[in-house]
Amino acid sequence: MTVIDDIDVSVFNHLESDVRSYCRSWPTVFGSAQGSWVRAEDGREFLDFFAGAGALNYGHNNPLLKQALIDYIAQDGITHGLDMSTVAKRDFLETFEDLILRPRGLDYKVQFPGPTGANSVEAALKLARKVTGRESIINFTNAFHGMTLGALSVTGNSMKRAGAGIPLVHATPMPFDNYFDGVTEDFHWFSRVLDDSGSGLNRPAAVIVETVQGEGGVNVARPEWLRALADLCAERDILLIVDDVQMGCGRTGPFFSFEVAGITPDIVTLSKSIGGYGLPMALTLFKRELDVWGPGEHNGTFRGNNPAFVTARVALEQYWSDNAMHQATLAKGERIRESFSNMADSFAGVSTRGRGLVQGLVFDQPDRAAKVCAMAFESGLLAETSGPSDEVVKLLPPLTITDAELAHGLSILAEATAKVCS
Ligand SMILES: *Cc1c(COP(=O)(O)O)cnc(C)c1O
């Protein structure tokens, strides 16, 4: 029997594939969770600054969503529905239109792909290719869009790309905002190769971009960069896909992360927190005129996860009927920012970046980020690293976290950072 501090992990080691990863950073066995807290089998409690990689924006087992889910199950509501019309789906769509799309002037059609972020990205890429009749896609350095072959082809990370085992084609990376530390003019390369018939760049169907690259190291695109990108796409008749799988659903403040730039993408992907309760669900949104799909052309068995439609609707009603969540997220993000700025001022080789409730503490010496996270775990805090060298401590606390919880977690991180940096 393999034991960590009296907890039995032997079945994971002998039966579960070596592909597992998060459990290596957090060597314990979790049993229950509530709000911003996760409890291990041995009774140890952890404040969760990871929130399911952004799938738990409203916290663990949010009581309001839980009650709606229990009621729905108790009355034998539809659980599995393919893409059949159901009451739960109708209620969700009406609420999504009333609270999210209409107030933002977004005239999108809604597609339910399979329930993961990668499913939504695949649908977006396929649709862009079908609409334009072109093959190639422009992606950005350090992008992350998922693990299936299409999504992987537009993802940057070389270790993950190598996992494909076949060539990943029809995607061309361009420098993300600030890739050259502000030295080279934005889009100089991109617009140049688009216009140069000798550049070797095939005319792309679409550009796919994250407004803040979460997995890529909390790289924040400036609103003016996003606007310039949207303009460039519009001028050249290239579709703009914003992958809002992690940064949507209020992570950066507004419901959609691109609202800050005042742009309207042609296609938007959502997953992670759209189901509200951590239940799998994804949406692909696109401008009405792009809806060229034939019936069943992009199919999937689990597109109708109706319990997720219920919790998704209640989450929208609860948190997106007014501006309170948006404002609170910006205020809490500011708290993290202040705390991180203090650390950056106190220690050499530490800097900070982020927007809303996605904030990164960046270490010039990459191994320090993992050390800080390991030390934080020992002190009862879950936080993960990101970035090409795992050099960033990335915070994604639940948006529903209290000020006291936030302060508690930040004090743990400050202490860990002080130890690691001195
Ligand atoms: C997590 C993520 C994905 C992939 O979602 P899965 O549900 O893991 O397939 C795609 N894009 C972004 C930006 C993500 O953060």
Side-chain angles (χ1 to χ4, degrees), residues 253-285:
F255 185 84
F256 293 109
S257 70
F258 54 80
E259 290 177 50
V260 69
I263 60 171
T264 304
D266 298 295
I267 305 177
V268 180
T269 60
L270 280 180
S271 183
K272 292 208 165 91
S273 274
I274 186 65
Y277 200 69
L279 293 173
M281 176 173 166
L283 301 178
T284 311
L285 312 173

Coordinates of all heavy atoms in Angstrom, one line a residue, residues 253-285:
G253 N -14.1 39.8 -15.2 CA -14.9 40.9 -14.8 C -16.3 40.9 -15.6 O -17.2 40.3 -15.0
P254 N -16.3 41.3 -16.8 CA -17.5 41.2 -17.6 C -17.8 39.8 -18.0 O -16.9 38.9 -17.9 CB -17.3 42.1 -18.9 CG -15.8 42.1 -19.0 CD -15.2 42.0 -17.6
F255 N -19.1 39.5 -18.4 CA -19.4 38.1 -18.7 C -18.5 37.5 -19.8 O -17.9 36.5 -19.6 CB -20.9 37.9 -19.1 CG -21.2 36.5 -19.3 CD1 -21.6 35.7 -18.3 CD2 -21.1 35.9 -20.6 CE1 -21.9 34.3 -18.4 CE2 -21.4 34.5 -20.8 CZ -21.8 33.8 -19.7
F256 N -18.4 38.3 -20.9 CA -17.4 37.9 -21.9 C -16.1 38.7 -21.8 O -16.2 39.9 -21.5 CB -18.0 38.2 -23.3 CG -19.1 37.3 -23.7 CD1 -20.4 37.9 -23.8 CD2 -19.0 36.0 -24.0 CE1 -21.5 37.1 -24.2 CE2 -20.1 35.2 -24.3 CZ -21.4 35.7 -24.4
S257 N -15.0 38.0 -21.9 CA -13.7 38.7 -21.7 C -13.4 39.8 -22.7 O -12.7 40.7 -22.5 CB -12.6 37.7 -21.6 OG -12.3 37.2 -22.9
F258 N -14.1 39.7 -23.9 CA -13.8 40.6 -25.0 C -14.5 41.9 -24.9 O -14.3 42.8 -25.6 CB -14.0 39.9 -26.4 CG -15.4 39.4 -26.5 CD1 -16.5 40.2 -26.8 CD2 -15.6 38.0 -26.4 CE1 -17.8 39.7 -27.0 CE2 -16.9 37.5 -26.5 CZ -18.0 38.3 -26.8
E259 N -15.5 42.0 -23.9 CA -16.3 43.2 -23.8 C -15.4 44.4 -23.5 O -15.7 45.5 -23.9 CB -17.3 43.0 -22.6 CG -18.4 42.0 -23.0 CD -19.4 41.8 -21.8 OE1 -19.9 42.8 -21.3 OE2 -19.6 40.6 -21.5
V260 N -14.3 44.2 -22.8 CA -13.4 45.3 -22.4 C -12.9 46.0 -23.6 O -12.5 47.2 -23.6 CB -12.3 44.8 -21.5 CG1 -11.3 43.9 -22.2 CG2 -11.5 45.9 -20.8
A261 N -12.8 45.3 -24.8 CA -12.2 45.8 -26.0 C -13.3 46.4 -26.9 O -13.0 47.0 -27.9 CB -11.4 44.8 -26.8
G262 N -14.6 46.1 -26.6 CA -15.7 46.6 -27.4 C -15.7 46.0 -28.8 O -16.2 46.6 -29.7
I263 N -15.2 44.7 -28.9 CA -15.3 44.1 -30.2 C -16.4 43.0 -30.2 O -16.8 42.6 -29.1 CB -13.9 43.3 -30.5 CG1 -13.6 42.3 -29.4 CG2 -12.8 44.4 -30.6 CD1 -12.4 41.4 -29.8
T264 N -16.8 42.6 -31.4 CA -17.8 41.5 -31.5 C -17.2 40.4 -32.3 O -17.1 40.5 -33.6 CB -19.1 42.0 -32.2 OG1 -19.6 43.2 -31.4 CG2 -20.1 41.0 -32.2
P265 N -16.7 39.4 -31.7 CA -16.1 38.3 -32.5 C -17.1 37.6 -33.4 O -18.3 37.7 -33.1 CB -15.6 37.3 -31.4 CG -15.6 38.1 -30.1 CD -16.7 39.1 -30.2
D266 N -16.7 37.0 -34.4 CA -17.6 36.2 -35.3 C -18.1 35.0 -34.6 O -19.2 34.6 -34.8 CB -16.9 35.9 -36.6 CG -16.5 37.2 -37.4 OD1 -17.4 37.9 -37.8 OD2 -15.3 37.4 -37.5
I267 N -17.1 34.3 -33.9 CA -17.4 33.1 -33.2 C -16.9 33.1 -31.8 O -15.8 33.7 -31.6 CB -16.8 31.9 -34.0 CG1 -17.3 31.9 -35.5 CG2 -17.1 30.5 -33.3 CD1 -16.6 30.8 -36.3
V268 N -17.6 32.6 -30.8 CA -17.1 32.6 -29.4 C -17.3 31.2 -28.9 O -18.3 30.5 -29.1 CB -17.9 33.5 -28.6 CG1 -17.4 33.5 -27.1 CG2 -17.9 35.0 -29.1
T269 N -16.3 30.7 -28.2 CA -16.4 29.4 -27.5 C -16.5 29.6 -26.0 O -15.9 30.5 -25.4 CB -15.2 28.5 -27.7 OG1 -14.0 29.2 -27.2 CG2 -15.0 28.2 -29.2
L270 N -17.4 28.8 -25.4 CA -17.6 28.9 -23.9 C -17.7 27.5 -23.4 O -18.3 26.6 -24.0 CB -18.9 29.6 -23.6 CG -19.1 31.1 -23.6 CD1 -20.5 31.4 -23.2 CD2 -18.1 31.7 -22.6
S271 N -17.1 27.2 -22.2 CA -17.3 25.9 -21.6 C -17.0 26.2 -20.1 O -17.4 27.2 -19.5 CB -16.4 24.8 -22.2 OG -16.7 23.6 -21.6
K272 N -16.1 25.3 -19.5 CA -15.7 25.5 -18.1 C -16.9 25.9 -17.2 O -17.6 25.1 -16.7 CB -14.5 26.3 -18.0 CG -13.2 25.6 -18.6 CD -11.9 26.0 -18.0 CE -10.8 25.0 -18.3 NZ -10.1 25.3 -19.6
S273 N -17.0 27.2 -16.9 CA -18.0 27.7 -15.9 C -19.4 27.9 -16.5 O -20.3 28.3 -15.7 CB -17.5 28.9 -15.2 OG -16.7 28.6 -14.1
I274 N -19.7 27.7 -17.8 CA -21.0 28.0 -18.3 C -22.1 27.1 -17.6 O -23.2 27.5 -17.3 CB -21.1 27.9 -19.8 CG1 -22.5 28.4 -20.3 CG2 -20.8 26.5 -20.4 CD1 -22.8 29.8 -20.0
G275 N -21.7 25.8 -17.3 CA -22.7 24.9 -16.6 C -22.9 25.3 -15.1 O -23.8 24.9 -14.5
G276 N -22.0 26.2 -14.6 CA -22.3 26.8 -13.3 C -21.9 25.9 -12.1 O -21.4 26.5 -11.1
Y277 N -22.1 24.6 -12.2 CA -21.9 23.8 -11.0 C -20.7 22.9 -11.2 O -20.5 22.0 -10.4 CB -23.2 22.9 -10.9 CG -23.4 22.3 -9.5 CD1 -23.7 23.1 -8.4 CD2 -23.3 20.9 -9.3 CE1 -23.9 22.6 -7.2 CE2 -23.5 20.4 -8.1 CZ -23.8 21.2 -7.0 OH -24.0 20.7 -5.8
G278 N -19.9 23.1 -12.3 CA -18.9 22.2 -12.6 C -19.3 21.0 -13.4 O -18.6 20.1 -13.6
L279 N -20.6 21.1 -13.9 CA -21.1 20.0 -14.7 C -20.7 20.3 -16.2 O -20.7 21.5 -16.6 CB -22.6 19.9 -14.7 CG -23.2 19.5 -13.3 CD1 -24.7 19.7 -13.4 CD2 -22.9 18.0 -13.1
P280 N -20.3 19.3 -17.0 CA -19.8 19.5 -18.3 C -20.9 20.1 -19.2 O -22.1 19.7 -19.3 CB -19.5 18.1 -18.8 CG -19.4 17.2 -17.6 CD -20.3 17.8 -16.6
M281 N -20.5 21.2 -19.9 CA -21.4 21.9 -20.8 C -20.5 22.8 -21.6 O -19.6 23.4 -21.1 CB -22.5 22.7 -20.0 CG -23.4 23.5 -20.9 SD -24.7 24.3 -20.0 CE -25.3 25.5 -21.2
A282 N -20.9 23.0 -22.9 CA -20.2 23.9 -23.8 C -21.1 24.6 -24.8 O -22.1 24.0 -25.1 CB -19.0 23.2 -24.5
L283 N -20.8 25.8 -25.2 CA -21.5 26.5 -26.2 C -20.5 27.0 -27.3 O -19.4 27.4 -27.0 CB -22.2 27.7 -25.6 CG -23.2 27.5 -24.5 CD1 -23.8 28.9 -24.1 CD2 -24.4 26.6 -25.0
T284 N -21.0 27.0 -28.5 CA -20.3 27.7 -29.6 C -21.3 28.7 -30.1 O -22.4 28.4 -30.5 CB -19.8 26.7 -30.7 OG1 -19.2 25.6 -30.1 CG2 -18.9 27.4 -31.7
L285 N -20.9 30.0 -30.0 CA -21.8 31.1 -30.4 C -21.2 31.6 -31.7 O -20.0 31.8 -31.9 CB -21.8 32.2 -29.4 CG -22.0 31.7 -27.9 CD1 -21.8 32.9 -27.0 CD2 -23.4 31.1 -27.7

